[in-house]
């Protein structure tokens, strides 16, 4: 009785790993698509609250309006950004910096419970100039 040893790193041309049957991939693909769609559309993963810290002069309702406007934007055809996984913190921070006079914004997600925490540092005003309905700081 002889033992045959083979090196797994140097296989011959004819030797290969076992291939999975094609029907197994056809079975697993719809299941995977269903799981992803369920996670992105389930109400369990919708954002339940927004917390704003560090505001001085500006009311919180202005921040809530801006964030809620972005949460209602669609992602693709079927999903909205209300889902904690689809909420884009960088886009919200960029939009808030354009819209308001903040020196720094830090937005973090809290997955359980599904909350958004916004930490804001306001820039001090040197003077305010209002011309033709536009406000300059």
């Amino acid at each position: 009785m002889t033992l045959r040893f083979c090196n797994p790193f140097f296989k011959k041309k004819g030797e290969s790993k076992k291939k999975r049957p094609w029907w197994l991939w056809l079975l697993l693909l719809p299941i995977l698509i269903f799981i992803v769609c369920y996670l992105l559309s389930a109400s369990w993963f919708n954002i339940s609250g927004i917390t704003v810290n560090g505001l001085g002069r500006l009311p919180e309702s202005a921040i809530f309006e801006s964030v809620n406007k972005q949460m209602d934007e669609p992602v693709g055809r079927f999903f909205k950004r209300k889902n904690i996984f689809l909420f884009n913190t960088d886009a919200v921070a960029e939009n808030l910096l354009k819209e308001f006079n903040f020196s720094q914004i830090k937005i973090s997600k809290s997955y359980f419970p599904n909350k958004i925490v916004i930490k804001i540092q306001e820039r001090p005003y040197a003077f305010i100039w209002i011309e033709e309905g536009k406000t300059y700081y």
Side-chain angles (χ1 to χ4, degrees), residues 1-127:
M1 182 167 136
T2 61
L3 295 174
R4 184 171 179 233
F5 295 104
C6 64
N7 190 342
F9 298 107
F10 300 108
K11 292 189 176 188
K12 295 179 182 175
K13 289 183 183 178
E15 297 178 17
S16 64
K17 292 182 180 180
K18 290 183 179 179
K19 293 184 180 180
R20 300 197 195 281
W22 60 271
W23 55 268
L24 182 64
W25 291 111
L26 282 176
L27 181 68
L28 291 177
L29 185 65
I31 293 172
L32 181 67
I33 290 172
F34 174 76
I35 291 172
V36 169
C37 289
Y38 177 75
L39 289 176
L40 295 179
S41 63
S43 62
W44 291 354
F45 300 108
N46 283 351
I47 296 172
S48 61
I50 301 170
T51 306
V52 179
N53 298 328
L55 280 180
R57 295 178 290 262
L58 195 65
E60 286 185 359
S61 61
I63 303 296
F64 291 147
E65 286 178 22
S66 180
V67 173
N68 284 331
K69 192 186 314 177
Q70 284 198 313
M71 284 172 48
D72 289 335
E73 289 179 358
V75 177
R77 291 182 180 223
F78 306 109
F79 309 113
K80 291 193 175 184
R81 294 195 190 276
K82 288 182 181 182
N83 189 296
I84 193 77
F85 301 118
L86 296 176
F87 186 76
N88 189 352
T89 57
D90 294 333
V92 172
E94 188 176 310
N95 187 31
L96 289 174
L97 282 173
K98 286 180 186 176
E99 194 171 342
F100 302 106
N101 187 31
F102 298 135
S103 62
Q104 185 180 11
I105 296 178
K106 187 174 183 180
I107 301 176
S108 59
K109 296 179 188 180
S110 172
Y111 289 101
F112 297 106
N114 300 330
K115 290 188 177 185
I116 301 296
V117 178
I118 303 173
K119 296 179 183 176
I120 297 174
Q121 288 182 351
E122 289 182 308
R123 186 174 288 139
Y125 294 141
F127 66 92

